Coordinates of all heavy atoms in Angstrom, one line a residue:
M1 N 146.2 158.1 148.1 CA 145.9 159.0 149.2 C 147.2 159.1 150.1 O 147.8 158.1 150.4 CB 144.8 158.4 150.0 CG 144.3 159.4 151.1 SD 142.9 158.7 152.1 CE 141.5 159.1 151.1
S2 N 147.5 160.3 150.5 CA 148.8 160.4 151.3 C 148.6 160.0 152.7 O 147.5 159.8 153.2 CB 149.2 161.9 151.3 OG 148.3 162.7 152.1
A3 N 149.7 159.8 153.4 CA 149.7 159.3 154.8 C 149.1 160.4 155.7 O 148.4 160.1 156.6 CB 151.1 159.0 155.2
H4 N 149.3 161.6 155.3 CA 148.7 162.8 156.1 C 147.2 162.7 156.0 O 146.5 162.9 157.0 CB 149.3 164.1 155.5 CG 148.6 165.3 156.1 ND1 148.8 165.7 157.4 CD2 147.7 166.1 155.6 CE1 148.1 166.8 157.7 NE2 147.4 167.0 156.6
A5 N 146.7 162.5 154.8 CA 145.2 162.5 154.6 C 144.6 161.3 155.3 O 143.5 161.4 155.9 CB 144.9 162.4 153.1
I6 N 145.3 160.1 155.3 CA 144.8 159.0 156.0 C 144.8 159.2 157.5 O 143.8 158.9 158.2 CB 145.7 157.7 155.7 CG1 145.4 157.3 154.2 CG2 145.3 156.5 156.6 CD1 146.4 156.3 153.7
A7 N 145.8 159.8 158.0 CA 145.9 160.1 159.5 C 144.8 161.1 159.9 O 144.1 160.9 160.9 CB 147.2 160.7 159.9
Q8 N 144.5 162.1 159.0 CA 143.5 163.1 159.3 C 142.1 162.4 159.2 O 141.2 162.7 160.1 CB 143.6 164.2 158.3 CG 142.9 165.4 158.7 CD 143.3 166.6 157.8 OE1 143.6 166.5 156.7 NE2 143.2 167.8 158.4
A9 N 141.9 161.5 158.3 CA 140.6 160.8 158.2 C 140.4 159.9 159.4 O 139.3 159.8 159.9 CB 140.6 160.0 156.9
R10 N 141.5 159.3 159.9 CA 141.3 158.4 161.1 C 141.0 159.3 162.3 O 140.1 158.9 163.1 CB 142.6 157.7 161.3 CG 142.8 156.5 160.4 CD 144.0 155.7 160.8 NE 144.2 154.6 159.9 CZ 145.3 154.1 159.5 NH1 146.4 154.6 160.0 NH2 145.3 153.1 158.7
R11 N 141.6 160.4 162.5 CA 141.3 161.3 163.6 C 139.8 161.7 163.5 O 139.1 161.8 164.5 CB 142.2 162.5 163.6 CG 143.6 162.1 164.2 CD 144.4 163.4 164.5 NE 144.7 164.2 163.3 CZ 145.7 164.0 162.5 NH1 146.5 163.0 162.7 NH2 145.9 164.8 161.5
W12 N 139.4 162.1 162.3 CA 138.0 162.5 162.1 C 137.0 161.3 162.5 O 136.1 161.6 163.2 CB 137.7 162.8 160.6 CG 136.4 163.3 160.3 CD1 135.9 164.6 160.4 CD2 135.3 162.5 159.9 NE1 134.5 164.6 160.1 CE2 134.1 163.3 159.8 CE3 135.1 161.1 159.7 CZ2 132.9 162.8 159.4 CZ3 133.9 160.6 159.3 CH2 132.8 161.5 159.2
Y13 N 137.4 160.1 162.1 CA 136.5 159.0 162.4 C 136.5 158.7 163.9 O 135.4 158.6 164.4 CB 137.2 157.7 161.7 CG 136.5 156.4 162.1 CD1 135.3 156.0 161.5 CD2 137.2 155.6 163.0 CE1 134.8 154.8 161.9 CE2 136.6 154.4 163.4 CZ 135.4 154.0 162.8 OH 134.8 152.8 163.2
W14 N 137.6 158.7 164.6 CA 137.6 158.5 166.0 C 136.9 159.6 166.8 O 136.3 159.4 167.8 CB 139.0 158.3 166.5 CG 139.5 156.9 166.1 CD1 140.4 156.6 165.2 CD2 139.0 155.7 166.6 NE1 140.5 155.2 165.1 CE2 139.7 154.6 166.0 CE3 138.0 155.3 167.6 CZ2 139.4 153.3 166.2 CZ3 137.7 154.0 167.8 CH2 138.4 153.0 167.2
Q15 N 137.0 160.8 166.3 CA 136.3 162.0 166.9 C 134.8 161.7 166.8 O 134.1 161.9 167.8 CB 136.7 163.3 166.2 CG 136.0 164.5 166.7 CD 136.7 165.1 167.9 OE1 137.8 164.9 168.1 NE2 136.0 165.9 168.7
R16 N 134.3 161.3 165.7 CA 132.9 161.0 165.6 C 132.4 159.8 166.4 O 131.3 159.9 167.0 CB 132.5 160.9 164.1 CG 132.7 162.1 163.2 CD 132.5 163.4 163.9 NE 132.7 164.5 163.0 CZ 133.8 165.3 163.0 NH1 134.8 165.0 163.7 NH2 133.9 166.4 162.3
I17 N 133.2 158.8 166.3 CA 132.8 157.6 167.1 C 132.8 157.9 168.6 O 131.8 157.5 169.3 CB 133.8 156.4 166.8 CG1 133.6 156.0 165.4 CG2 133.5 155.2 167.8 CD1 132.3 155.4 165.0
S18 N 133.8 158.6 169.1 CA 133.8 159.0 170.5 C 132.7 159.9 170.9 O 132.2 159.8 172.0 CB 135.2 159.5 170.9 OG 135.5 160.8 170.2
A19 N 132.3 160.8 170.0 CA 131.2 161.7 170.2 C 129.9 160.9 170.4 O 129.1 161.2 171.2 CB 131.1 162.7 169.1
M20 N 129.7 159.9 169.6 CA 128.5 159.1 169.7 C 128.5 158.3 171.1 O 127.4 158.3 171.7 CB 128.4 158.1 168.6 CG 128.1 158.7 167.2 SD 127.9 157.5 166.0 CE 129.4 157.7 165.1
V21 N 129.6 157.8 171.5 CA 129.7 157.1 172.8 C 129.5 158.1 173.9 O 128.7 157.8 174.8 CB 131.1 156.4 172.9 CG1 131.3 155.8 174.3 CG2 131.2 155.3 171.9
L22 N 130.1 159.3 173.8 CA 129.9 160.3 174.8 C 128.4 160.8 174.9 O 127.9 161.0 176.0 CB 130.8 161.5 174.5 CG 132.2 161.4 174.9 CD1 133.0 162.6 174.4 CD2 132.4 161.3 176.4
A23 N 127.7 160.9 173.8 CA 126.3 161.3 173.8 C 125.5 160.3 174.6 O 124.7 160.7 175.5 CB 125.8 161.4 172.4
V24 N 125.7 159.0 174.4 CA 125.0 158.0 175.1 C 125.4 158.0 176.6 O 124.5 158.0 177.5 CB 125.3 156.6 174.5 CG1 124.7 155.5 175.4 CG2 124.7 156.5 173.1
C25 N 126.6 158.1 176.9 CA 127.1 158.2 178.3 C 126.6 159.4 179.0 O 126.2 159.2 180.2 CB 128.6 158.1 178.3 SG 129.4 156.5 177.9
V26 N 126.6 160.5 178.4 CA 126.1 161.7 179.1 C 124.6 161.6 179.4 O 124.2 161.9 180.5 CB 126.4 163.0 178.2 CG1 125.6 164.2 178.7 CG2 127.9 163.3 178.2
V27 N 123.8 161.1 178.4 CA 122.4 160.9 178.7 C 122.2 159.9 179.8 O 121.4 160.2 180.7 CB 121.7 160.5 177.4 CG1 120.3 160.1 177.7 CG2 121.7 161.6 176.4
L28 N 122.8 158.8 179.8 CA 122.7 157.8 180.8 C 123.1 158.4 182.2 O 122.4 158.1 183.2 CB 123.4 156.5 180.5 CG 122.9 155.7 179.4 CD1 123.8 154.5 179.0 CD2 121.5 155.2 179.7
H29 N 124.2 159.1 182.2 CA 124.7 159.7 183.5 C 123.7 160.7 184.0 O 123.3 160.6 185.2 CB 126.0 160.3 183.2 CG 126.5 161.1 184.4 ND1 127.1 160.5 185.5 CD2 126.5 162.5 184.6 CE1 127.4 161.5 186.4 NE2 127.1 162.6 185.9
L30 N 123.2 161.6 183.2 CA 122.2 162.6 183.7 C 120.9 161.9 184.1 O 120.4 162.3 185.2 CB 122.0 163.6 182.6 CG 123.1 164.5 182.3 CD1 122.8 165.4 181.1 CD2 123.5 165.4 183.5
V31 N 120.4 161.0 183.4 CA 119.2 160.3 183.8 C 119.4 159.6 185.1 O 118.5 159.7 186.0 CB 118.7 159.3 182.7 CG1 117.7 158.3 183.2 CG2 118.2 160.0 181.4
G32 N 120.5 158.9 185.3 CA 120.8 158.2 186.5 C 120.9 159.2 187.7 O 120.4 158.9 188.8
M33 N 121.6 160.3 187.5 CA 121.7 161.3 188.6 C 120.4 161.9 188.9 O 120.1 162.1 190.1 CB 122.7 162.4 188.2 CG 124.2 161.9 188.1 SD 124.8 161.2 189.6 CE 124.8 159.5 189.3
I34 N 119.6 162.3 187.9 CA 118.3 162.9 188.2 C 117.4 161.9 188.9 O 116.7 162.2 189.9 CB 117.7 163.4 186.9 CG1 118.5 164.6 186.4 CG2 116.2 163.8 187.1 CD1 118.1 165.1 185.0
W35 N 117.4 160.7 188.5 CA 116.6 159.6 189.1 C 117.0 159.4 190.5 O 116.1 159.3 191.4 CB 116.7 158.3 188.3 CG 116.0 157.2 188.9 CD1 114.7 156.9 188.9 CD2 116.6 156.1 189.6 NE1 114.4 155.8 189.5 CE2 115.6 155.2 190.0 CE3 117.9 155.7 189.8 CZ2 115.8 154.0 190.6 CZ3 118.2 154.6 190.5 CH2 117.1 153.7 190.9
A36 N 118.3 159.4 190.8 CA 118.8 159.1 192.2 C 118.4 160.3 193.1 O 118.0 160.1 194.2 CB 120.3 158.9 192.1
V37 N 118.7 161.5 192.6 CA 118.4 162.7 193.4 C 116.9 162.9 193.7 O 116.5 163.2 194.8 CB 119.0 163.9 192.8 CG1 118.6 165.2 193.5 CG2 120.5 163.8 192.8
R38 N 116.1 162.7 192.7 CA 114.6 162.8 192.9 C 114.1 161.7 193.8 O 113.1 161.9 194.4 CB 113.9 162.7 191.5 CG 114.0 164.0 190.8 CD 113.0 164.0 189.7 NE 113.0 165.3 189.1 CZ 112.2 165.7 188.1 NH1 111.3 164.8 187.7 NH2 112.2 166.9 187.6
G39 N 114.8 160.6 193.9 CA 114.5 159.5 194.8 C 114.9 159.8 196.2 O 114.7 159.0 197.1
G40 N 115.5 161.0 196.4 CA 115.9 161.4 197.7 C 117.3 160.9 198.2 O 117.7 161.1 199.4
L41 N 118.1 160.3 197.3 CA 119.4 159.8 197.7 C 120.4 161.0 197.8 O 120.4 161.9 197.0 CB 119.9 158.8 196.7 CG 119.1 157.5 196.6 CD1 119.7 156.6 195.5 CD2 119.2 156.8 197.9
T42 N 121.3 160.9 198.8 CA 122.4 161.9 198.9 C 123.6 161.3 198.1 O 123.6 160.2 197.7 CB 122.8 162.1 200.4 OG1 123.3 160.8 200.9 CG2 121.6 162.5 201.2
A43 N 124.6 162.2 198.0 CA 125.8 161.7 197.3 C 126.4 160.6 198.0 O 126.9 159.6 197.4 CB 126.8 162.9 197.2
A44 N 126.4 160.6 199.3 CA 127.0 159.5 200.1 C 126.3 158.2 199.9 O 126.9 157.2 199.8 CB 127.0 159.9 201.6
E45 N 125.0 158.3 199.8 CA 124.2 157.1 199.6 C 124.4 156.5 198.2 O 124.4 155.3 198.0 CB 122.7 157.4 199.8 CG 122.3 157.7 201.3 CD 120.9 158.2 201.4 OE1 120.4 159.0 200.6 OE2 120.3 157.9 202.5
I46 N 124.5 157.4 197.2 CA 124.8 157.0 195.9 C 126.1 156.3 195.8 O 126.2 155.2 195.2 CB 124.7 158.2 194.9 CG1 123.3 158.7 194.8 CG2 125.2 157.8 193.5 CD1 123.2 160.0 194.0
L47 N 127.1 156.9 196.4 CA 128.4 156.2 196.4 C 128.4 154.9 197.2 O 129.0 153.9 196.7 CB 129.5 157.1 197.1 CG 130.0 158.3 196.2 CD1 130.9 159.2 197.0 CD2 130.7 157.7 195.0
A48 N 127.7 154.8 198.3 CA 127.6 153.5 199.0 C 127.0 152.4 198.1 O 127.4 151.3 198.2 CB 126.8 153.8 200.3
R49 N 126.0 152.8 197.3 CA 125.3 151.8 196.5 C 126.1 151.4 195.3 O 126.0 150.3 194.7 CB 124.0 152.4 196.0 CG 123.0 152.5 197.1 CD 121.6 152.9 196.6 NE 120.6 153.0 197.6 CZ 119.4 153.1 197.4 NH1 118.9 153.1 196.2 NH2 118.5 153.2 198.4
T50 N 127.0 152.3 194.8 CA 127.7 152.1 193.5 C 129.1 151.5 193.7 O 129.7 151.0 192.8 CB 127.7 153.3 192.6 OG1 128.4 154.4 193.3 CG2 126.3 153.7 192.2
Q51 N 129.7 151.8 194.9 CA 131.1 151.3 195.1 C 131.2 149.8 195.0 O 130.3 149.1 195.6 CB 131.6 151.8 196.4 CG 132.0 153.2 196.4 CD 132.6 153.7 197.7 OE1 132.2 153.2 198.8 NE2 133.4 154.7 197.7
G52 N 132.1 149.3 194.3 CA 132.3 147.9 194.1 C 131.4 147.3 193.1 O 131.5 146.0 192.8
N53 N 130.6 148.0 192.4 CA 129.7 147.5 191.4 C 130.4 147.6 190.0 O 130.8 148.6 189.5 CB 128.4 148.4 191.3 CG 127.4 147.9 190.4 OD1 127.7 147.4 189.3 ND2 126.1 147.9 190.8
G54 N 130.6 146.4 189.5 CA 131.4 146.3 188.2 C 130.7 146.9 187.0 O 131.4 147.5 186.2
L55 N 129.4 146.9 187.0 CA 128.7 147.6 185.9 C 128.9 149.1 185.9 O 129.1 149.7 184.8 CB 127.2 147.3 186.0 CG 126.3 147.7 184.9 CD1 126.7 147.1 183.6 CD2 124.8 147.4 185.1
F56 N 128.8 149.7 187.1 CA 129.1 151.1 187.2 C 130.5 151.4 186.8 O 130.8 152.4 186.1 CB 128.8 151.7 188.5 CG 127.3 152.0 188.7 CD1 126.5 151.1 189.4 CD2 126.8 153.2 188.3 CE1 125.2 151.4 189.5 CE2 125.5 153.5 188.5 CZ 124.6 152.6 189.1
A57 N 131.5 150.6 187.3 CA 132.9 150.8 186.9 C 133.1 150.7 185.4 O 133.8 151.5 184.8 CB 133.7 149.8 187.7
A58 N 132.5 149.7 184.8 CA 132.6 149.5 183.3 C 132.0 150.7 182.6 O 132.6 151.2 181.6 CB 132.0 148.2 182.9
F59 N 130.9 151.2 183.0 CA 130.2 152.3 182.4 C 131.1 153.5 182.4 O 131.3 154.2 181.4 CB 128.9 152.6 183.0 CG 128.3 153.9 182.6 CD1 127.7 154.0 181.3 CD2 128.3 155.0 183.4 CE1 127.1 155.2 180.9 CE2 127.7 156.2 182.9 CZ 127.2 156.3 181.7
Y60 N 131.6 153.9 183.6 CA 132.4 155.1 183.8 C 133.8 154.9 183.1 O 134.4 155.9 182.7 CB 132.5 155.5 185.2 CG 131.2 156.2 185.6 CD1 130.2 155.6 186.4 CD2 130.9 157.5 185.1 CE1 129.0 156.2 186.7 CE2 129.7 158.1 185.3 CZ 128.7 157.4 186.2 OH 127.6 158.1 186.4
A61 N 134.3 153.7 183.0 CA 135.6 153.4 182.3 C 135.4 153.8 180.8 O 136.2 154.4 180.2 CB 136.0 152.0 182.5
V62 N 134.2 153.3 180.3 CA 133.9 153.6 178.8 C 133.8 155.2 178.7 O 134.3 155.7 177.7 CB 132.7 152.9 178.4 CG1 132.2 153.4 177.0 CG2 132.9 151.4 178.3
F63 N 133.1 155.8 179.6 CA 132.9 157.2 179.6 C 134.2 158.0 179.6 O 134.5 158.9 178.7 CB 132.1 157.6 180.8 CG 131.3 158.9 180.8 CD1 130.3 159.1 181.6 CD2 131.6 159.9 179.9 CE1 129.5 160.3 181.6 CE2 130.9 161.1 179.8 CZ 129.9 161.3 180.7
V64 N 135.1 157.6 180.5 CA 136.5 158.2 180.6 C 137.3 158.0 179.3 O 138.0 158.8 178.8 CB 137.2 157.8 181.8 CG1 138.6 158.2 181.8 CG2 136.5 158.4 183.1
L65 N 137.2 156.7 178.8 CA 138.0 156.4 177.6 C 137.5 157.2 176.4 O 138.3 157.7 175.6 CB 137.9 154.9 177.3 CG 138.6 154.4 176.1 CD1 140.1 154.6 176.3 CD2 138.3 152.9 175.9
A66 N 136.2 157.4 176.3 CA 135.6 158.2 175.2 C 136.1 159.6 175.3 O 136.5 160.3 174.3 CB 134.1 158.1 175.2
C67 N 136.2 160.1 176.5 CA 136.7 161.5 176.7 C 138.1 161.6 176.4 O 138.6 162.6 175.7 CB 136.5 161.9 178.2 SG 134.8 162.3 178.7
A68 N 138.9 160.6 176.8 CA 140.3 160.6 176.5 C 140.6 160.5 175.0 O 141.7 161.0 174.5 CB 141.0 159.4 177.2
V69 N 139.7 159.9 174.2 CA 139.9 159.9 172.7 C 139.4 161.2 172.1 O 140.1 161.8 171.3 CB 139.1 158.7 172.1 CG1 139.1 158.8 170.6 CG2 139.8 157.4 172.6
H70 N 138.3 161.7 172.6 CA 137.6 162.8 172.0 C 138.3 164.2 172.2 O 138.5 165.0 171.3 CB 136.2 162.9 172.5 CG 135.3 163.9 171.8 ND1 134.7 163.6 170.6 CD2 135.0 165.1 172.1 CE1 134.0 164.6 170.2 NE2 134.1 165.6 171.1
V71 N 138.7 164.4 173.4 CA 139.2 165.7 173.8 C 140.5 166.1 173.1 O 140.6 167.2 172.5 CB 139.4 165.9 175.3 CG1 140.1 167.1 175.7 CG2 138.0 165.9 176.0
P72 N 141.6 165.3 173.1 CA 142.8 165.7 172.4 C 142.6 165.9 170.9 O 143.2 166.9 170.4 CB 143.7 164.5 172.6 CG 143.2 163.7 173.8 CD 141.7 164.0 173.7
I73 N 141.8 165.1 170.3 CA 141.5 165.4 168.8 C 140.8 166.7 168.6 O 141.2 167.5 167.7 CB 140.7 164.2 168.2 CG1 141.4 162.9 168.3 CG2 140.3 164.5 166.8 CD1 140.6 161.7 168.0
G74 N 139.9 167.0 169.5 CA 139.2 168.3 169.4 C 140.1 169.5 169.7 O 140.0 170.5 169.0
L75 N 140.9 169.3 170.7 CA 141.9 170.4 171.0 C 142.9 170.7 169.9 O 143.2 171.8 169.6 CB 142.6 170.1 172.3 CG 141.8 170.2 173.6 CD1 142.6 169.7 174.8 CD2 141.3 171.6 173.8
A76 N 143.3 169.6 169.3 CA 144.3 169.7 168.2 C 143.6 170.4 167.0 O 144.2 171.3 166.3 CB 144.8 168.4 167.7
T77 N 142.3 170.1 166.7 CA 141.6 170.7 165.7 C 141.4 172.2 165.9 O 141.6 173.1 165.0 CB 140.2 170.0 165.5 OG1 140.5 168.7 165.2 CG2 139.4 170.7 164.3
I78 N 141.0 172.5 167.2 CA 140.9 174.0 167.6 C 142.2 174.7 167.4 O 142.2 175.8 166.9 CB 140.3 174.1 169.0 CG1 138.9 173.6 169.0 CG2 140.4 175.5 169.5 CD1 138.3 173.4 170.4
A79 N 143.3 174.1 167.9 CA 144.6 174.8 167.8 C 145.0 175.0 166.3 O 145.6 176.0 166.0 CB 145.6 173.9 168.5
R80 N 144.7 174.0 165.5 CA 145.0 174.1 164.1 C 144.2 175.2 163.3 O 144.7 176.0 162.6 CB 144.9 172.7 163.4 CG 145.6 172.6 162.1 CD 145.5 171.3 161.5 NE 144.2 170.9 161.1 CZ 143.4 170.0 161.7 NH1 143.9 169.4 162.8 NH2 142.2 169.8 161.4
E81 N 142.9 175.1 163.6 CA 141.9 176.0 162.9 C 141.9 177.4 163.4 O 141.9 178.4 162.7 CB 140.5 175.4 162.8 CG 140.5 174.1 162.0 CD 139.1 173.5 162.0 OE1 138.2 174.0 162.6 OE2 139.0 172.4 161.4
W82 N 141.8 177.6 164.7 CA 141.7 178.9 165.3 C 143.1 179.5 165.7 O 143.2 180.7 165.6 CB 140.8 178.8 166.6 CG 139.4 178.6 166.3 CD1 138.8 178.1 165.1 CD2 138.3 178.7 167.3 NE1 137.5 178.0 165.3 CE2 137.1 178.3 166.6 CE3 138.3 179.1 168.6 CZ2 135.9 178.3 167.2 CZ3 137.1 179.1 169.2 CH2 135.9 178.7 168.5
G83 N 144.0 178.6 166.1 CA 145.3 179.1 166.5 C 146.3 179.2 165.4 O 147.4 179.6 165.5
R84 N 145.8 178.7 164.2 CA 146.6 178.7 163.0 C 148.0 178.0 163.2 O 149.0 178.4 162.6 CB 146.8 180.1 162.5 CG 145.5 180.6 162.1 CD 145.6 182.0 161.5 NE 144.2 182.6 161.4 CZ 143.8 183.2 160.3 NH1 144.6 183.3 159.3 NH2 142.6 183.6 160.3
L85 N 148.0 176.9 164.0 CA 149.2 176.1 164.2 C 149.3 175.1 163.1 O 148.3 174.7 162.6 CB 149.1 175.4 165.6 CG 149.2 176.3 166.8 CD1 149.1 175.4 168.1 CD2 150.4 177.2 166.9
G86 N 150.5 174.7 162.9 CA 150.7 173.6 162.0 C 150.2 172.3 162.6 O 149.9 172.2 163.8
E87 N 150.1 171.3 161.7 CA 149.5 170.0 162.1 C 150.3 169.4 163.3 O 149.8 168.9 164.3 CB 149.5 169.0 160.9 CG 148.9 167.7 161.2 CD 147.4 167.7 161.2 OE1 146.8 168.7 160.6 OE2 146.7 166.9 161.7
R88 N 151.6 169.3 163.2 CA 152.5 168.8 164.2 C 152.4 169.5 165.5 O 152.3 168.9 166.6 CB 154.0 168.7 163.8 CG 154.3 167.5 163.0 CD 155.8 167.5 162.7 NE 156.0 166.6 161.7 CZ 157.1 165.8 161.6 NH1 158.0 165.9 162.6 NH2 157.2 165.0 160.7
A89 N 152.4 170.8 165.5 CA 152.4 171.7 166.7 C 151.0 171.5 167.4 O 150.9 171.4 168.6 CB 152.6 173.1 166.3
A90 N 149.9 171.4 166.6 CA 148.6 171.2 167.2 C 148.5 169.9 167.8 O 148.0 169.8 169.0 CB 147.5 171.4 166.1
L91 N 149.0 168.8 167.2 CA 148.9 167.5 167.8 C 149.8 167.4 169.0 O 149.4 166.8 170.0 CB 149.3 166.4 166.8 CG 148.4 166.2 165.6 CD1 149.0 165.3 164.6 CD2 147.0 165.7 166.2
W92 N 151.0 168.1 169.0 CA 151.8 168.1 170.2 C 151.2 168.8 171.3 O 151.2 168.3 172.5 CB 153.2 168.7 169.8 CG 154.1 168.8 171.0 CD1 154.9 167.8 171.4 CD2 154.2 169.9 171.9 NE1 155.6 168.2 172.6 CE2 155.2 169.5 172.9 CE3 153.7 171.1 172.0 CZ2 155.6 170.3 173.9 CZ3 154.0 171.9 173.1 CH2 155.0 171.5 174.0
L93 N 150.6 169.9 171.0 CA 149.9 170.7 172.1 C 148.8 170.0 172.7 O 148.5 170.1 173.9 CB 149.4 172.0 171.5 CG 148.8 173.0 172.4 CD1 149.8 173.5 173.4 CD2 148.2 174.2 171.7
A94 N 148.0 169.2 171.9 CA 146.8 168.5 172.4 C 147.2 167.3 173.2 O 146.4 166.8 173.9 CB 146.0 168.1 171.2
G95 N 148.4 166.9 173.1 CA 148.8 165.8 174.0 C 149.3 164.6 173.4 O 149.4 163.5 173.9

């Protein structure tokens, strides 16, 4: 298997893994926001309750990390497939 094929397979793998993490994070985020708002909390009250909470910080760190992995791979794929860019140009453009 060529180095190019291995790199492409790794990007595919990380795209799928990050998508799974993002799906869980989005659902948890939405459930938490709906629960908080239905409970009558304002944005200021939510922030007051969550600031300094390590669990919330860890959750959103994982959320952001999954986005940071997922988005550039997706943008490179879109640039390559729709923009008809070469592999290197698409990867450079995506970041």
Side-chain angles (χ1 to χ4, degrees):
M1 190 181 272
S2 71
H4 172 73
I6 291 170
Q8 200 168 26
R10 284 187 180 147
R11 284 191 298 274
W12 181 89
Y13 172 80
W14 285 110
Q15 178 85 21
R16 295 329 180 258
I17 296 298
S18 63
M20 288 185 255
V21 173
L22 281 171
V24 171
C25 288
V26 166
V27 168
L28 290 174
H29 172 75
L30 290 175
V31 166
M33 292 298 106
I34 291 168
W35 175 75
V37 172
R38 283 197 173 180
L41 294 176
T42 65
E45 291 170 326
I46 293 169
L47 283 174
R49 290 183 180 196
T50 59
Q51 282 182 332
N53 186 319
L55 186 60
F56 278 96
F59 170 75
Y60 283 105
V62 168
F63 203 159
V64 169
L65 182 61
C67 288
V69 170
H70 189 83
V71 170
I73 297 169
L75 289 175
T77 302
I78 290 168
R80 197 176 66 251
E81 291 178 2
W82 290 12
R84 299 182 188 226
L85 295 178
E87 186 80 19
R88 275 186 196 216
L91 291 171
W92 179 85
L93 184 66

